Amino acid sequence: MPVGLIALTLGSFGIGLTEFVIAGLLPQVSRSLAVSEAAAGWLISGYALSVAVGAIVVTAATSGMSRKSVLIGLVALFVVGNLLSAVAPSYPMMLFGRVVAALCHGSFFGIGSLVARRMVPAERASRAVAVMFAGLTLANVLGVPFGALVGERWGWRATFWAITAIGVIALIAIAALVPGWAGAVDRAHPSTASGLNGLRVQLRAFRSSQVWLTLAATALGYGGMFGAFSYIAYTFTQITGFSSTDVAWLLVVYGSGLVIGNVGGGRAADANRDRTLIVSLAGLAVTLTAFGLLAASPVASVVLVFLLGLFGFAGVPGMITRVTDYANGVPLAASANVSASNVGNALGAWLGGLAISAGLGYTAPLYVGAAIVLAGLAVMTITARRAPGQPSGGTNLGVGDPAESALS
């Protein structure tokens, strides 16, 4: 495995910690900064909205810069944001720190995925993306318990100091280990040109219906999973009968499914990408439906929450390589995929909440999630049938690659 890929994985781990760790710290932060739980909740939702916006804006603003330089700058922004959170004397400053940290999230995963896939042969592109995203999945498994442990022992600020330190290590690792050629700018091709011309070429890639349909499938797939997962603690405690203390280890089971699904999905996508995406969405829809029917069974719930993570993340590497292939490798498309997933997360959580508010019970988000995923499955099936390109991992897009030069 290229050492530069390990450096990117470390960066994704730190960014993932920032996203997930706050969930276990909200009560402490709320008391410390003297704000309501609802206000504290904006430290999560505000982060997600900033990710969705920042993924597009930051990537567009850095068009034409060396990808390695951009990655270093993004991790530096991540360090600053978490440092602001660690020292925040007030809630507005804490929220500002969260927003600053979130601005790097989408662009890091979008641009980083392009750099990661160029470090390996073309037939291993999706697996390279999966390795990078392994940091995010591990952060999901470890983030909440890590934050809770450090927060309980040394206070919530210590958690953000620890994440800041991880960010500094990742910054040094990326600067030292990611080769310059992995993300260099190719001035010969408009997609990497600077200024308005480069941005116009990147936007031109969005004329492809395959790009938009893949983004739609991403949003619906994520939305269905997250719509159910957002209320999974209520399902476990109110329907299955688990205690609130059991939720932590159940989330670890879910996170383990994410890790395995990410690795397996990346490998499968390199063999046949569109089939992997269709199977993962179909498996997710079946899992959510079965979960709704069997939520009262503790044994079934443990198995199904694992499968929820497995199928929910199995399509992630393939979705990213697919959208970037059909967008001719422009970074803006990779970042748009991250934005699409966050839009889907917000949509799924909102619809799941509406179902509960309508009195449909705590299994309702599971059925709502299944319906959303089925819509995503329909989109992906139509998309695959109309696709003019190859079903596998595609080309290894990078500087001077044929797909990128097609824009010129």
Side-chain angles (χ1 to χ4, degrees):
M1 180 188 303
V3 292
L5 196 52
I6 296 175
L8 293 176
T9 303
L10 179 60
S12 75
F13 176 72
I15 292 174
L17 277 181
T18 298
E19 180 178 19
F20 301 122
V21 79
I22 190 66
L25 298 174
L26 280 185
Q28 289 187 47
V29 174
S30 176
R31 291 191 300 268
S32 175
L33 300 180
V35 296
S36 67
E37 292 181 356
W42 271 99
L43 297 175
I44 296 177
S45 54
Y47 183 96
L49 290 173
S50 297
V51 169
V53 174
I56 302 297
V57 174
V58 174
T59 303
T62 56
S63 174
M65 295 177 61
S66 160
R67 290 175 186 171
K68 179 177 179 178
S69 298
V70 173
L71 288 173
I72 292 172
L74 291 172
V75 178
L77 192 66
F78 162 81
V79 171
V80 171
N82 281 285
L83 182 61
L84 288 173
S85 296
V87 302
S90 62
Y91 171 75
M93 181 59 73
M94 176 70 174
L95 182 59
F96 178 68
R98 293 286 292 168
V99 169
V100 170
L103 290 176
C104 80
H105 186 122
S107 293
F108 181 87
F109 283 104
I111 296 172
S113 65
L114 296 177
V115 173
R117 64 184 296 177
R118 186 155 187 255
M119 293 182 185
V120 300
E123 65 272 12
R124 297 176 63 89
S126 292
R127 273 174 280 187
V129 173
V131 170
M132 178 185 168
F133 271 80
L136 180 66
T137 57
L138 287 172
N140 198 307
V141 177
L142 302 175
V144 175
F146 169 81
L149 178 63
V150 175
E152 285 294 330
R153 189 170 181 84
W154 295 291
W156 64 268
R157 294 182 188 276
T159 302
F160 284 97
W161 278 113
I163 296 174
T164 301
I166 292 172
V168 171
I169 296 171
L171 178 64
I172 295 171
I174 290 172
L177 301 178
V178 172
W181 56 259
V185 175
D186 182 5
R187 300 291 179 184
H189 297 126
S191 66
T192 57
S194 60
L196 186 58
N197 184 49
L199 180 58
R200 283 173 175 166
V201 173
Q202 293 208 55
L203 292 174
R204 196 178 303 149
F206 287 87
R207 294 177 179 176
S208 168
S209 62
Q210 287 291 319
V211 171
W212 285 107
L213 288 169
T214 306
L215 291 175
T218 295
L220 292 168
Y222 262 96
M225 178 183 71
F226 200 79
F229 179 72
S230 297
Y231 306 96
I232 202 70
Y234 295 102
T235 305
F236 282 142
T237 56
Q238 303 299 317
I239 304 297
T240 314
F242 285 113
S243 68
S244 57
T245 56
D246 289 324
V247 173
W249 69 262
L250 288 165
L251 293 180
V252 171
V253 173
Y254 167 77
S256 300
L258 291 180
V259 173
I260 296 173
N262 175 59
V263 174
R267 184 176 294 274
D270 281 331
N272 190 312
R273 186 169 56 200
D274 284 357
R275 183 175 63 190
T276 298
L277 297 179
I278 290 172
V279 169
S280 65
L281 288 170
L284 182 57
V286 170
T287 297
L288 287 167
T289 303
F291 207 159
L293 295 171
L294 303 173
S297 167
V299 174
S301 293
V302 172
V303 173
L304 289 166
V305 78
F306 171 81
L307 293 177
L308 177 64
L310 189 148
F311 285 115
F313 226 81
V316 170
M319 286 292 190
I320 290 181
T321 58
R322 191 180 202 282
V323 77
T324 52
D325 277 354
Y326 282 104
N328 294 305
V330 299
L332 195 59
S335 297
N337 193 75
V338 180
S339 288
S341 66
N342 278 271
V343 170
N345 290 353
L347 174 66
W350 176 62
L351 292 176
L354 286 181
I356 292 175
S357 298
L360 300 178
Y362 290 114
T363 58
L366 295 165
Y367 293 119
V368 170
I372 296 173
V373 173
L374 283 174
L377 175 60
V379 170
M380 190 63 241
T381 302
I382 293 171
T383 304
R385 287 179 177 175
R386 293 182 178 179
Q390 53 219 343
S392 63
T395 55
N396 189 1
L397 293 172
V399 176
D401 288 330
E404 190 170 287
S405 63
L407 287 170
S408 56

